[in-house]
């Protein structure tokens, strides 16, 4: 009992394994933010004028906004003037043309993370656009993708090479006026990924990016834009892990997805940023705006996320179901341990007729972790025949943690059907005893129960990512039998 | 050479500071079936949990030898892997975990411990299907969550299914007969009988002589107030059925 609680704690307490700092010279702007900093960022990225103008508008708007505090989180005030808004690894030739040119230190970093980049990429047929600090330093499989007409490149490159596309779609899903962090990101974003899948094309491989945060005190502001034209299909994987350090690091990414008629976008995330130590020191603040726009009829956007890291997570990947018969999905596992706080969920905005959405949220709390699900299902008056199904489950380990559920439902059309189910359970001493009496170790028993709890989400992940996610939770694959 | 599987001497145990076993002796040899009967709250389940190694059950005296070695120094899962199996009086529900998955993980943990190759999904399924026929359980139970929503009787059958897959050396069956209808009782009893073997010992905790009509025990013991107060053969069960437990207490006082 008491000792089982301790055992449980030990299992979930395994030290953050990816904590180290890579020793690469960083080319970093001094801390602080004003229009000159934004001009400097834009100049260093060799950006076209339109983008600088857009950044400045965003910045001026940001100045009029205040930090939101409605999330179920507690943290000291962030000093935005103490953050350095640009940091790029120095390489002799700015950007390497192939993996051979990549700083060996960086490749070593990936090794330590268990991501042998080139092997992994070749074996899995995954194109990797590795973001190290703020500049993309490795891009592979470009050729195969370009043969298919797919554009997959660093955002800054897209801004120069595909200005029409960027101007047409940037901010069309998440305008810079959307929220405080989206405005900040729009002003200072340093890089990210740009994906364009042309009409009728099925992207020939899964796209993947490893986001990293490295240089000390550097806010990380990624910007990702994915456009799937009519009848196209793409699966995008985002995974990340960061070095251990003592200061809180702000991360405020923006991800925009656009799906036109009959297009499908699947966006999967495994997030494992440094959560802070057992006392809650250090750790990443992860304030992200992710939104998908099912702009076309019969389009489909799926978000799948496994959130295990960060000190504070504030994240609501959402779908705007504009097209008739469009489908939005959100599958989430969020784990909080020690003093981690997660406030995550989704918004499903039903605009088109016969739009459907599914929400499956699994929150796991251990230690003194606080886990909140916050979800909005909104059915607009024109959304005839809209349907939503929400399932929201919490698993508690120990009695010092918390789970909270805030489901908001607004139904503006009487034909809509909205279903909500919620459960809360606790890993019991009796369950562990039962498993151990059958011969399982306590650790395997915990893993089995946690994995069983999460399986509805894991099965939505692409295979290799599912494995990574399970490793992350220290679980072994369930469902191999039966 | 002694064929003893279990040898308990002067066992004392407490839970939450409360003394429950108060000097218990019991010896079980390979091939034997022992029935333990006794009033509610006398410590029967406690005995099974102490033997299985449940946390919070503190041994404060005596010793337990299993196959000649100290059982009490092993962890719960080590005891299981060494062949100690407990069919729970109240089997535990584990939502989200497939019955078949737990069973496969358990068998493979035990095989690994014995240095045997782990069974793959196909080998395991064919094994478990055979055992399910024996227990007359529908295969749909494999893919249901462990004990979740099982009826009382189904849970008990599932325990014996697990036993038949795990093939323990020492099986402790805690009131496996309670909650079973007449047909299910026969099925479970048949299952248990088919698991009687020369190199296996079975300890049955039961309140009813009825079970012992199907599973003939070699010995019957009465556990009362933390001790074995009387042992005998099957006829003792009949006597208990007829007379209850009170006379034993009187006998103990007058002795
Ligand atoms: N955690 C506990 N704290 C205090 N007392 C306990 C605890 N667990 C068990 N007991 C007590 O120990 C005694 C023995 O319980 P046990 O379950 O072993 O009885 P039993 O012989 O199996 O009874 P039954 O025939 O009703 O199953 C009971 O009086 C019970 O209340
Ligand atoms: Mg009992």
């Amino acid at each position: 009992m008491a000792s089982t609680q301790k055992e449980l704690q030990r299992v979930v307490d395994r030290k953050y394994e990816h904590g180290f700092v890579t020793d690469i010279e960083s080319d970093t702007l001094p801390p602080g933010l004003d229009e000159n900093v934004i001009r400097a960022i834009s100049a260093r990225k060799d950006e076209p004028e339109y983008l600088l103008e857009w950044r400045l508008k965003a910045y001026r708007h940001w100045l009029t906004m205040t930090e939101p505090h409605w999330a179920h989180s507690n943290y000291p005030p962030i000093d935005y003037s103490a953050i350095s808004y640009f940091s790029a690894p120095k390489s002799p030739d700015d950007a390497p043309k192939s993996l051979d040119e990549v700083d060996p230190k960086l490749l070593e970093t990936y090794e330590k993370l268990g991501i042998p980049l080139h092997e992994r990429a070749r074996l899995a047929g995954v194109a990797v656009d590795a973001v190290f600090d703020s500049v993309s330093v490795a891009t592979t499989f470009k050729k195969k993708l370009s043969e298919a007409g797919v554009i997959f490149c660093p955002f800054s490159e897209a801004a120069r090479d595909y200005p029409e596309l960027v101007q047409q779609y940037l901010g069309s899903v998440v305008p810079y006026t959307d929220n405080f962090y989206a405005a900040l990101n729009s002003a200072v974003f340093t890089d990210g990924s740009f994906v364009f899948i042309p009409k009728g094309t099925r992207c020939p491989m899964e796209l993947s990016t490893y986001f990293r945060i490295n240089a000390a005190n550097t806010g990380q502001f990624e910007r990702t834009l994915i456009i799937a034209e009519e009848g196209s299909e793409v699966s995008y994987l985002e995974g990340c892990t960061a070095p251990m350090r003592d200061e809180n690091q702000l991360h405020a990414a923006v991800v925009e997805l656009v799906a036109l008629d009959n297009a499908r976008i699947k966006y999967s995330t495994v997030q494992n940023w440094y959560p802070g130590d057992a006392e809650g020191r250090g750790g990443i603040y992860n304030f992200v705006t992710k939104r998908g726009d099912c702009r076309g009829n019969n389009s489909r956007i799926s978000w799948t996320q496994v959130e295990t890291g960060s000190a504070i997570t504030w994240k609501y990947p959402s779908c705007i179901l504009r097209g008739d018969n469009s489908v939005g999905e959100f599958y989430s596992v969020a784990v909080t341990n020690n003093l981690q706080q997660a406030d995550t969920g989704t918004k499903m905005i039903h605009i088109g007729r016969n739009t459907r959405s599914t929400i499956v949220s699994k929150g796991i709390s251990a230690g003194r972790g606080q886990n909140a699900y916050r979800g909005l299902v909104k059915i607009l008056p024109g959304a005839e025949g809209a349907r939503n199904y929400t399932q929201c489950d919490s698993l508690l380990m120990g009695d010092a943690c918390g789970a909270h559920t805030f489901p908001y439902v607004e139904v503006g059309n009487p034909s809509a059907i909205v279903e909500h189910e919620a459960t809360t359970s606790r890993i019991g001493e009796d369950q562990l005893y039962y498993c151990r009496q059958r011969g399982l170790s306590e650790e395997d028993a915990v893993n089995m129960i946690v994995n069983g709890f999460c399986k509805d989400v894991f099965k939505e992940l692409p295979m290799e990512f599912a494995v990574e996610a399970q490793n992350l939770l220290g679980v072994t694959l369930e469902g191999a039998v039966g | 050479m002694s064929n003893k599987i279990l040898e308990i001497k002067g066992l004392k145990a407490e839970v939450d500071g409360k003394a429950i076993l108060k000097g218990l002796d019991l010896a079980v040899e390979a091939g034997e079936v022992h029935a333990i009967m006794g009033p509610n709250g006398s410590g029967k389940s406690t005995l099974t949990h102490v033997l299985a190694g449940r946390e919070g059950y503190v041994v404060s005296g005596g010793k337990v030898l299993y196959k000649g070695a100290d059982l009490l120094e092993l962890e719960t899962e080590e005891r299981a892997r060494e062949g100690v199996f407990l069919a729970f009086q109240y089997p535990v529900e584990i939502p989200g975990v497939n019955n078949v998955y737990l069973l496969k993980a358990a068998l493979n943990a035990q095989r690994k411990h014995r240095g045997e190759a782990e069974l793959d999904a196909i080998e395991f399924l064919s094994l478990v299907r055979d055992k399910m026929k024996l227990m007359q359980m529908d295969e749909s139970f494999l893919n249901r969550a462990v004990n979740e929503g099982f009826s009382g009787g189904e849970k008990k059958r599932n325990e014996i299914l697990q036993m038949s897959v795990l093939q323990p050396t020492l099986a402790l069956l805690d009131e496996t007969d309670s909650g079973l209808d007449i047909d299910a009782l026969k099925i479970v009893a048949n299952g248990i009988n088919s698991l009687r073997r020369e190199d296996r010992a079975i300890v049955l905790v039961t309140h009813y002589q009825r079970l012992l009509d199907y599973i003939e025990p070699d010995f019957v013991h009465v556990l009362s107030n933390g001790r074995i107060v009387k042992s005998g053969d099957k006829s003792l069960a009949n006597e208990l059925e007829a007379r209850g437990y009170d006379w034993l207490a009187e006998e103990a006082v007058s002795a």
Side-chain angles (χ1 to χ4, degrees), chain A residues 3-4 431 433-434 436-439 452 455 478 481, chain B residues 49 55 77 80-81 84 86 93 96 104 110 159 162:
Chain A
S3 65
T4 297
Q431 292 174 331
Y433 170 51
Y434 190 74
R436 293 176 70 197
Q437 209 301 306
R438 297 303 183 246
K455 70 182 167 193
E478 180 167 3
V481 185
Chain B
H49 291 312
E55 281 178 35
E77 59 268 35
R81 292 170 195 166
V84 176
L86 169 59
E93 300 190 0
K104 177 165 173 271
Q110 301 199 7
E159 294 292 286
Q162 293 182 356

PDB file of all heavy atoms in Angstrom, chain A residues 3-4 431 433-434 436-439 452 455 478 481, chain B residues 49 55 77 80-81 84 86 93 96 104 110 159 162:
ATOM      1  N   SER A   3       3.966   1.315   0.360  1.00  0.00           N
ATOM      2  CA  SER A   3       5.149   1.020  -0.434  1.00  0.00           C
ATOM      3  C   SER A   3       4.794   0.806  -1.903  1.00  0.00           C
ATOM      4  O   SER A   3       5.583   1.063  -2.790  1.00  0.00           O
ATOM      5  CB  SER A   3       5.894  -0.181   0.124  1.00  0.00           C
ATOM      6  OG  SER A   3       5.086  -1.314   0.010  1.00  0.00           O
ATOM      7  N   THR A   4       3.581   0.368  -2.164  1.00  0.00           N
ATOM      8  CA  THR A   4       3.167   0.233  -3.561  1.00  0.00           C
ATOM      9  C   THR A   4       3.058   1.601  -4.200  1.00  0.00           C
ATOM     10  O   THR A   4       3.482   1.826  -5.319  1.00  0.00           O
ATOM     11  CB  THR A   4       1.797  -0.461  -3.650  1.00  0.00           C
ATOM     12  OG1 THR A   4       1.938  -1.759  -3.128  1.00  0.00           O
ATOM     13  CG2 THR A   4       1.324  -0.528  -5.077  1.00  0.00           C
ATOM     14  N   GLN A 431      -5.029  -4.060  -8.319  1.00  0.00           N
ATOM     15  CA  GLN A 431      -4.755  -4.431  -9.714  1.00  0.00           C
ATOM     16  C   GLN A 431      -3.299  -4.851  -9.891  1.00  0.00           C
ATOM     17  O   GLN A 431      -2.992  -5.829 -10.577  1.00  0.00           O
ATOM     18  CB  GLN A 431      -5.057  -3.255 -10.654  1.00  0.00           C
ATOM     19  CG  GLN A 431      -6.539  -2.928 -10.736  1.00  0.00           C
ATOM     20  CD  GLN A 431      -6.782  -1.677 -11.559  1.00  0.00           C
ATOM     21  OE1 GLN A 431      -5.944  -0.780 -11.620  1.00  0.00           O
ATOM     22  NE2 GLN A 431      -7.941  -1.613 -12.192  1.00  0.00           N
ATOM     23  N   TYR A 433      -1.307  -5.968  -7.584  1.00  0.00           N
ATOM     24  CA  TYR A 433      -1.123  -7.236  -6.868  1.00  0.00           C
ATOM     25  C   TYR A 433      -1.600  -8.394  -7.728  1.00  0.00           C
ATOM     26  O   TYR A 433      -0.930  -9.415  -7.862  1.00  0.00           O
ATOM     27  CB  TYR A 433      -1.878  -7.177  -5.539  1.00  0.00           C
ATOM     28  CG  TYR A 433      -1.988  -8.481  -4.794  1.00  0.00           C
ATOM     29  CD1 TYR A 433      -0.859  -9.261  -4.531  1.00  0.00           C
ATOM     30  CD2 TYR A 433      -3.221  -8.927  -4.336  1.00  0.00           C
ATOM     31  CE1 TYR A 433      -0.975 -10.458  -3.830  1.00  0.00           C
ATOM     32  CE2 TYR A 433      -3.338 -10.119  -3.640  1.00  0.00           C
ATOM     33  CZ  TYR A 433      -2.217 -10.893  -3.392  1.00  0.00           C
ATOM     34  OH  TYR A 433      -2.329 -12.074  -2.706  1.00  0.00           O
ATOM     35  N   TYR A 434      -2.755  -8.218  -8.326  1.00  0.00           N
ATOM     36  CA  TYR A 434      -3.326  -9.270  -9.173  1.00  0.00           C
ATOM     37  C   TYR A 434      -2.358  -9.615 -10.308  1.00  0.00           C
ATOM     38  O   TYR A 434      -2.075 -10.776 -10.570  1.00  0.00           O
ATOM     39  CB  TYR A 434      -4.664  -8.785  -9.720  1.00  0.00           C
ATOM     40  CG  TYR A 434      -5.492  -9.828 -10.428  1.00  0.00           C
ATOM     41  CD1 TYR A 434      -6.152 -10.817  -9.716  1.00  0.00           C
ATOM     42  CD2 TYR A 434      -5.645  -9.800 -11.805  1.00  0.00           C
ATOM     43  CE1 TYR A 434      -6.932 -11.767 -10.365  1.00  0.00           C
ATOM     44  CE2 TYR A 434      -6.429 -10.742 -12.468  1.00  0.00           C
ATOM     45  CZ  TYR A 434      -7.076 -11.717 -11.740  1.00  0.00           C
ATOM     46  OH  TYR A 434      -7.854 -12.654 -12.384  1.00  0.00           O
ATOM     47  N   ARG A 436       0.888  -9.004 -10.482  1.00  0.00           N
ATOM     48  CA  ARG A 436       2.139  -9.568  -9.965  1.00  0.00           C
ATOM     49  C   ARG A 436       1.925 -11.007  -9.526  1.00  0.00           C
ATOM     50  O   ARG A 436       2.798 -11.846  -9.675  1.00  0.00           O
ATOM     51  CB  ARG A 436       2.652  -8.728  -8.798  1.00  0.00           C
ATOM     52  CG  ARG A 436       3.100  -7.342  -9.210  1.00  0.00           C
ATOM     53  CD  ARG A 436       3.495  -6.516  -8.016  1.00  0.00           C
ATOM     54  NE  ARG A 436       4.744  -7.016  -7.442  1.00  0.00           N
ATOM     55  CZ  ARG A 436       5.174  -6.705  -6.210  1.00  0.00           C
ATOM     56  NH1 ARG A 436       4.449  -5.922  -5.445  1.00  0.00           N
ATOM     57  NH2 ARG A 436       6.305  -7.174  -5.772  1.00  0.00           N
ATOM     58  N   GLN A 437       0.759 -11.299  -8.978  1.00  0.00           N
ATOM     59  CA  GLN A 437       0.477 -12.669  -8.566  1.00  0.00           C
ATOM     60  C   GLN A 437       0.473 -13.595  -9.791  1.00  0.00           C
ATOM     61  O   GLN A 437       0.665 -14.785  -9.683  1.00  0.00           O
ATOM     62  CB  GLN A 437      -0.858 -12.745  -7.816  1.00  0.00           C
ATOM     63  CG  GLN A 437      -0.906 -13.883  -6.791  1.00  0.00           C
ATOM     64  CD  GLN A 437      -0.683 -15.260  -7.393  1.00  0.00           C
ATOM     65  OE1 GLN A 437      -1.381 -15.646  -8.335  1.00  0.00           O
ATOM     66  NE2 GLN A 437       0.294 -16.002  -6.862  1.00  0.00           N
ATOM     67  N   ARG A 438       0.259 -13.035 -10.952  1.00  0.00           N
ATOM     68  CA  ARG A 438       0.304 -13.864 -12.157  1.00  0.00           C
ATOM     69  C   ARG A 438       1.712 -13.916 -12.750  1.00  0.00           C
ATOM     70  O   ARG A 438       1.937 -14.546 -13.762  1.00  0.00           O
ATOM     71  CB  ARG A 438      -0.686 -13.337 -13.197  1.00  0.00           C
ATOM     72  CG  ARG A 438      -2.151 -13.382 -12.753  1.00  0.00           C
ATOM     73  CD  ARG A 438      -2.575 -14.790 -12.362  1.00  0.00           C
ATOM     74  NE  ARG A 438      -3.991 -14.846 -11.995  1.00  0.00           N
ATOM     75  CZ  ARG A 438      -4.426 -15.123 -10.768  1.00  0.00           C
ATOM     76  NH1 ARG A 438      -3.573 -15.359  -9.792  1.00  0.00           N
ATOM     77  NH2 ARG A 438      -5.715 -15.186 -10.525  1.00  0.00           N
ATOM     78  N   GLY A 439       2.651 -13.163 -12.142  1.00  0.00           N
ATOM     79  CA  GLY A 439       4.040 -13.272 -12.588  1.00  0.00           C
ATOM     80  C   GLY A 439       4.617 -12.036 -13.249  1.00  0.00           C
ATOM     81  O   GLY A 439       5.780 -12.002 -13.620  1.00  0.00           O
ATOM     82  N   GLY A 452      -3.065  -0.124 -21.811  1.00  0.00           N
ATOM     83  CA  GLY A 452      -4.450  -0.493 -22.066  1.00  0.00           C
ATOM     84  C   GLY A 452      -5.344   0.736 -22.057  1.00  0.00           C
ATOM     85  O   GLY A 452      -6.230   0.891 -22.889  1.00  0.00           O
ATOM     86  N   LYS A 455      -4.779   2.722 -25.422  1.00  0.00           N
ATOM     87  CA  LYS A 455      -4.682   2.049 -26.720  1.00  0.00           C
ATOM     88  C   LYS A 455      -5.560   2.658 -27.805  1.00  0.00           C
ATOM     89  O   LYS A 455      -5.187   2.632 -28.971  1.00  0.00           O
ATOM     90  CB  LYS A 455      -4.911   0.549 -26.585  1.00  0.00           C
ATOM     91  CG  LYS A 455      -6.305   0.132 -26.258  1.00  0.00           C
ATOM     92  CD  LYS A 455      -6.367  -1.378 -26.098  1.00  0.00           C
ATOM     93  CE  LYS A 455      -7.675  -1.758 -25.456  1.00  0.00           C
ATOM     94  NZ  LYS A 455      -7.671  -3.147 -24.993  1.00  0.00           N
ATOM     95  N   GLU A 478       0.388  -3.411 -26.819  1.00  0.00           N
ATOM     96  CA  GLU A 478      -0.752  -4.279 -26.542  1.00  0.00           C
ATOM     97  C   GLU A 478      -1.500  -4.558 -27.839  1.00  0.00           C
ATOM     98  O   GLU A 478      -1.362  -3.848 -28.803  1.00  0.00           O
ATOM     99  CB  GLU A 478      -1.699  -3.608 -25.555  1.00  0.00           C
ATOM    100  CG  GLU A 478      -2.860  -4.511 -25.280  1.00  0.00           C
ATOM    101  CD  GLU A 478      -3.704  -4.091 -24.105  1.00  0.00           C
ATOM    102  OE1 GLU A 478      -3.408  -3.054 -23.520  1.00  0.00           O
ATOM    103  OE2 GLU A 478      -4.643  -4.811 -23.819  1.00  0.00           O
ATOM    104  N   VAL A 481      -1.824  -9.775 -29.685  1.00  0.00           N
ATOM    105  CA  VAL A 481      -2.685 -10.951 -29.750  1.00  0.00           C
ATOM    106  C   VAL A 481      -4.137 -10.502 -29.769  1.00  0.00           C
ATOM    107  O   VAL A 481      -4.508  -9.576 -29.069  1.00  0.00           O
ATOM    108  CB  VAL A 481      -2.493 -11.829 -28.498  1.00  0.00           C
ATOM    109  CG1 VAL A 481      -3.292 -13.110 -28.619  1.00  0.00           C
ATOM    110  CG2 VAL A 481      -1.021 -12.126 -28.301  1.00  0.00           C
TER     111      VAL A 481
ATOM    112  N   HIS B  49      -3.161 -14.756   1.038  1.00  0.00           N
ATOM    113  CA  HIS B  49      -2.437 -13.538   0.658  1.00  0.00           C
ATOM    114  C   HIS B  49      -1.029 -13.508   1.233  1.00  0.00           C
ATOM    115  O   HIS B  49      -0.101 -13.026   0.586  1.00  0.00           O
ATOM    116  CB  HIS B  49      -3.210 -12.294   1.099  1.00  0.00           C
ATOM    117  CG  HIS B  49      -4.481 -12.076   0.335  1.00  0.00           C
ATOM    118  ND1 HIS B  49      -4.551 -12.125  -1.039  1.00  0.00           N
ATOM    119  CD2 HIS B  49      -5.755 -11.824   0.747  1.00  0.00           C
ATOM    120  CE1 HIS B  49      -5.791 -11.906  -1.441  1.00  0.00           C
ATOM    121  NE2 HIS B  49      -6.549 -11.731  -0.362  1.00  0.00           N
ATOM    122  N   GLU B  55       1.331  -7.111  -0.408  1.00  0.00           N
ATOM    123  CA  GLU B  55       1.898  -6.047   0.420  1.00  0.00           C
ATOM    124  C   GLU B  55       0.935  -5.666   1.526  1.00  0.00           C
ATOM    125  O   GLU B  55      -0.278  -5.697   1.345  1.00  0.00           O
ATOM    126  CB  GLU B  55       2.197  -4.820  -0.437  1.00  0.00           C
ATOM    127  CG  GLU B  55       3.487  -4.991  -1.205  1.00  0.00           C
ATOM    128  CD  GLU B  55       3.771  -3.808  -2.096  1.00  0.00           C
ATOM    129  OE1 GLU B  55       3.449  -2.679  -1.708  1.00  0.00           O
ATOM    130  OE2 GLU B  55       4.319  -4.035  -3.191  1.00  0.00           O
ATOM    131  N   GLU B  77       5.893 -11.426  -7.395  1.00  0.00           N
ATOM    132  CA  GLU B  77       5.958 -11.979  -8.751  1.00  0.00           C
ATOM    133  C   GLU B  77       6.935 -13.150  -8.835  1.00  0.00           C
ATOM    134  O   GLU B  77       6.773 -14.044  -9.647  1.00  0.00           O
ATOM    135  CB  GLU B  77       6.288 -10.907  -9.789  1.00  0.00           C
ATOM    136  CG  GLU B  77       7.592 -10.160  -9.593  1.00  0.00           C
ATOM    137  CD  GLU B  77       7.393  -8.884  -8.780  1.00  0.00           C
ATOM    138  OE1 GLU B  77       6.549  -8.880  -7.859  1.00  0.00           O
ATOM    139  OE2 GLU B  77       8.081  -7.886  -9.087  1.00  0.00           O
ATOM    140  N   ALA B  80       5.060 -16.172  -7.850  1.00  0.00           N
ATOM    141  CA  ALA B  80       4.192 -16.591  -8.949  1.00  0.00           C
ATOM    142  C   ALA B  80       5.003 -17.357  -9.995  1.00  0.00           C
ATOM    143  O   ALA B  80       4.585 -18.409 -10.474  1.00  0.00           O
ATOM    144  CB  ALA B  80       3.532 -15.368  -9.584  1.00  0.00           C
ATOM    145  N   ARG B  81       6.180 -16.802 -10.321  1.00  0.00           N
ATOM    146  CA  ARG B  81       6.992 -17.445 -11.355  1.00  0.00           C
ATOM    147  C   ARG B  81       7.554 -18.784 -10.884  1.00  0.00           C
ATOM    148  O   ARG B  81       7.859 -19.648 -11.700  1.00  0.00           O
ATOM    149  CB  ARG B  81       8.144 -16.525 -11.757  1.00  0.00           C
ATOM    150  CG  ARG B  81       7.665 -15.274 -12.481  1.00  0.00           C
ATOM    151  CD  ARG B  81       8.783 -14.279 -12.644  1.00  0.00           C
ATOM    152  NE  ARG B  81       8.257 -12.968 -13.015  1.00  0.00           N
ATOM    153  CZ  ARG B  81       8.972 -11.853 -12.967  1.00  0.00           C
ATOM    154  NH1 ARG B  81      10.227 -11.881 -12.570  1.00  0.00           N
ATOM    155  NH2 ARG B  81       8.422 -10.710 -13.317  1.00  0.00           N
ATOM    156  N   VAL B  84       3.576 -20.496  -7.605  1.00  0.00           N
ATOM    157  CA  VAL B  84       2.505 -20.289  -6.621  1.00  0.00           C
ATOM    158  C   VAL B  84       1.380 -19.513  -7.311  1.00  0.00           C
ATOM    159  O   VAL B  84       1.602 -18.430  -7.842  1.00  0.00           O
ATOM    160  CB  VAL B  84       3.006 -19.491  -5.400  1.00  0.00           C
ATOM    161  CG1 VAL B  84       1.841 -19.202  -4.445  1.00  0.00           C
ATOM    162  CG2 VAL B  84       4.121 -20.252  -4.684  1.00  0.00           C
ATOM    163  N   LEU B  86      -2.639 -18.069  -6.989  1.00  0.00           N
ATOM    164  CA  LEU B  86      -3.790 -17.798  -6.141  1.00  0.00           C
ATOM    165  C   LEU B  86      -5.006 -17.468  -6.996  1.00  0.00           C
ATOM    166  O   LEU B  86      -4.982 -16.510  -7.764  1.00  0.00           O
ATOM    167  CB  LEU B  86      -3.478 -16.625  -5.191  1.00  0.00           C
ATOM    168  CG  LEU B  86      -4.669 -16.034  -4.407  1.00  0.00           C
ATOM    169  CD1 LEU B  86      -5.348 -17.096  -3.546  1.00  0.00           C
ATOM    170  CD2 LEU B  86      -4.204 -14.866  -3.530  1.00  0.00           C
ATOM    171  N   GLU B  93     -10.840  -6.436 -11.398  1.00  0.00           N
ATOM    172  CA  GLU B  93     -11.122  -5.950 -12.754  1.00  0.00           C
ATOM    173  C   GLU B  93     -10.016  -5.008 -13.217  1.00  0.00           C
ATOM    174  O   GLU B  93      -9.568  -4.153 -12.455  1.00  0.00           O
ATOM    175  CB  GLU B  93     -12.456  -5.192 -12.768  1.00  0.00           C
ATOM    176  CG  GLU B  93     -13.622  -6.058 -12.327  1.00  0.00           C
ATOM    177  CD  GLU B  93     -14.978  -5.406 -12.570  1.00  0.00           C
ATOM    178  OE1 GLU B  93     -15.012  -4.268 -13.076  1.00  0.00           O
ATOM    179  OE2 GLU B  93     -15.995  -6.049 -12.256  1.00  0.00           O
ATOM    180  N   GLY B  96      -9.503  -1.944 -19.795  1.00  0.00           N
ATOM    181  CA  GLY B  96      -8.555  -1.568 -20.845  1.00  0.00           C
ATOM    182  C   GLY B  96      -7.514  -2.628 -21.171  1.00  0.00           C
ATOM    183  O   GLY B  96      -6.858  -2.557 -22.195  1.00  0.00           O
ATOM    184  N   LYS B 104      -1.220 -13.971 -21.561  1.00  0.00           N
ATOM    185  CA  LYS B 104      -0.023 -14.233 -22.357  1.00  0.00           C
ATOM    186  C   LYS B 104       1.202 -13.624 -21.679  1.00  0.00           C
ATOM    187  O   LYS B 104       2.256 -14.253 -21.592  1.00  0.00           O
ATOM    188  CB  LYS B 104      -0.202 -13.643 -23.759  1.00  0.00           C
ATOM    189  CG  LYS B 104       1.027 -13.794 -24.644  1.00  0.00           C
ATOM    190  CD  LYS B 104       0.663 -13.521 -26.105  1.00  0.00           C
ATOM    191  CE  LYS B 104       1.899 -13.489 -26.987  1.00  0.00           C
ATOM    192  NZ  LYS B 104       2.507 -12.162 -27.097  1.00  0.00           N
ATOM    193  N   GLN B 110       6.514 -16.217 -16.807  1.00  0.00           N
ATOM    194  CA  GLN B 110       6.873 -17.429 -16.081  1.00  0.00           C
ATOM    195  C   GLN B 110       7.788 -18.319 -16.906  1.00  0.00           C
ATOM    196  O   GLN B 110       8.737 -18.908 -16.394  1.00  0.00           O
ATOM    197  CB  GLN B 110       5.597 -18.171 -15.658  1.00  0.00           C
ATOM    198  CG  GLN B 110       4.714 -17.288 -14.778  1.00  0.00           C
ATOM    199  CD  GLN B 110       3.690 -18.062 -13.971  1.00  0.00           C
ATOM    200  OE1 GLN B 110       3.691 -19.282 -13.936  1.00  0.00           O
ATOM    201  NE2 GLN B 110       2.815 -17.328 -13.297  1.00  0.00           N
ATOM    202  N   GLU B 159     -10.557 -17.503 -13.363  1.00  0.00           N
ATOM    203  CA  GLU B 159      -9.423 -17.803 -12.483  1.00  0.00           C
ATOM    204  C   GLU B 159      -8.884 -19.206 -12.770  1.00  0.00           C
ATOM    205  O   GLU B 159      -7.680 -19.405 -12.853  1.00  0.00           O
ATOM    206  CB  GLU B 159      -9.842 -17.708 -11.003  1.00  0.00           C
ATOM    207  CG  GLU B 159     -10.230 -16.311 -10.526  1.00  0.00           C
ATOM    208  CD  GLU B 159      -9.058 -15.345 -10.487  1.00  0.00           C
ATOM    209  OE1 GLU B 159      -8.211 -15.456  -9.586  1.00  0.00           O
ATOM    210  OE2 GLU B 159      -9.004 -14.478 -11.378  1.00  0.00           O
ATOM    211  N   GLN B 162      -7.015 -19.362 -15.944  1.00  0.00           N
ATOM    212  CA  GLN B 162      -5.645 -18.877 -15.761  1.00  0.00           C
ATOM    213  C   GLN B 162      -4.776 -19.962 -15.134  1.00  0.00           C
ATOM    214  O   GLN B 162      -3.641 -20.191 -15.557  1.00  0.00           O
ATOM    215  CB  GLN B 162      -5.640 -17.630 -14.874  1.00  0.00           C
ATOM    216  CG  GLN B 162      -6.318 -16.437 -15.536  1.00  0.00           C
ATOM    217  CD  GLN B 162      -6.268 -15.188 -14.682  1.00  0.00           C
ATOM    218  OE1 GLN B 162      -5.793 -15.216 -13.555  1.00  0.00           O
ATOM    219  NE2 GLN B 162      -6.754 -14.091 -15.219  1.00  0.00           N
TER     220      GLN B 162
END
